């Protein structure tokens, strides 16, 4: 199998895991490997406008759970809070567009892919109360909570759901719209 096929298989295996094995936790080595994938992610002008806060203890886990009112999240043993630093981000010269969210998103997806490669599950969570996270983790004003990444082993019986995507003709154009 060539590298492209390996990559496509990995991308097809990655899914939003919403049920974790509550009897197993990722090791520190596994968590560090996931974080290394984020650390090496590209960012606009290599500004790396991010900080990743790992939450493993019960008090921190409860704070994350309070910020996102979905029952499934309680099963995740570890959370990574992705924080964006707007003061460090590249801003496009033409219109001053801030690329913090773009850069943090690239890094978070690198973590998702690394987790999948390690046999771990993950799920992007963006619909959370950022002010609760800011308060409960004493996050300074210059940092924005962008996403929460639950991380753990998928529960027994978890399977990759069928991926429903738009067909290529509806999303790809060559040369003009």
């Amino acid at each position: 199998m060539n590298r492209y096929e390996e990559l496509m298989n990995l991308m097809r295996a990655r899914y939003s895991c919403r049920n974790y094995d509550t009897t197993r936790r990722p090791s520190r080595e596994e968590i560090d490997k996931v974080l290394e994938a984020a650390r090496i992610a590209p960012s606009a002008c290599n500004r790396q406008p991010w900080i990743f806060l790992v939450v493993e203890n019960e008090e921190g886990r409860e704070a994350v759970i309070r910020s996102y009112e979905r029952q499934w999240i309680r099963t995740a043993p570890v959370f990574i809070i992705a924080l964006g630093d707007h003061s460090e981000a590249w801003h496009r010269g033409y219109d001053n567009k801030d690329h913090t969210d773009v850069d943090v998103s690239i890094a978070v997806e690198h973590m998702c892919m690394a987790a999948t490669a390690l046999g771990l599950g993950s799920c992007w969570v963006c619909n959370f109360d950022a002010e609760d996270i800011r308060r409960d983790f004493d996050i300074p004003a210059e940092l924005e909570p962008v996403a929460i990444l639950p991380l753990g082993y998928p529960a027994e019986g978890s399977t990759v759901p069928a991926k429903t995507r738009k067909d290529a003709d509806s999303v790809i154009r060559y040369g003009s719209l």
Side-chain angles (χ1 to χ4, degrees):
M1 181 177 332
N2 66 39
R3 291 174 70 186
Y4 175 78
E5 290 169 346
E6 289 175 21
L7 176 62
M8 291 303 291
N9 286 338
L10 183 64
M11 289 191 287
R12 287 183 184 109
R14 183 249 174 265
Y15 70 101
S16 296
C17 181
R18 292 186 177 91
N19 190 15
Y20 297 88
D21 183 341
T22 58
T23 66
R24 290 177 70 193
R25 302 176 68 87
S27 69
R28 178 54 56 91
E29 180 183 4
E30 290 168 322
I31 294 167
D32 287 345
K33 286 179 178 180
V34 168
L35 292 165
E36 178 64 7
R39 192 188 68 76
I40 67 168
S43 61
C45 294
N46 198 31
R47 295 287 183 88
Q48 305 166 54
W50 51 55
I51 294 176
F52 303 101
L53 177 60
V54 179
V55 179
E56 300 177 276
N57 66 27
E58 281 310 306
E59 181 182 350
R61 287 184 70 260
E62 285 302 318
V64 170
I65 290 166
R66 280 192 305 273
S67 77
Y68 179 72
E69 297 177 4
R70 302 292 189 282
Q71 195 61 31
W72 68 264
I73 202 165
R74 294 182 169 282
T75 65
V78 176
F79 300 109
I80 300 173
I81 302 172
L83 304 168
D85 186 342
H86 293 278
S87 69
E88 291 288 326
W90 178 75
H91 292 74
R92 185 168 48 210
Y94 295 100
D95 60 2
N96 203 36
K97 181 189 178 347
D98 180 335
H99 276 68
T100 302
D101 283 356
V102 173
D103 291 342
V104 172
S105 294
I106 294 167
V108 171
E109 189 57 19
H110 269 54
M111 287 192 287
C112 289
M113 296 303 293
T116 301
L118 292 166
L120 299 171
S122 63
C123 181
W124 277 83
V125 174
C126 295
N127 185 26
F128 61 93
D129 189 325
E131 288 309 310
D132 280 357
I133 293 294
R134 182 179 301 287
R135 180 193 63 243
D136 290 342
F137 292 96
D138 199 26
I139 296 170
E142 66 271 11
L143 298 178
E144 176 192 2
V146 175
I148 298 171
L149 190 68
L151 191 64
Y153 286 95
E156 188 173 328
S158 295
T159 59
V160 178
K163 295 195 185 287
T164 55
R165 299 294 188 260
K166 294 179 180 179
D167 63 48
D169 289 339
S170 66
V171 298
I172 299 169
R173 305 290 187 277
Y174 287 91
S176 68
L177 290 178

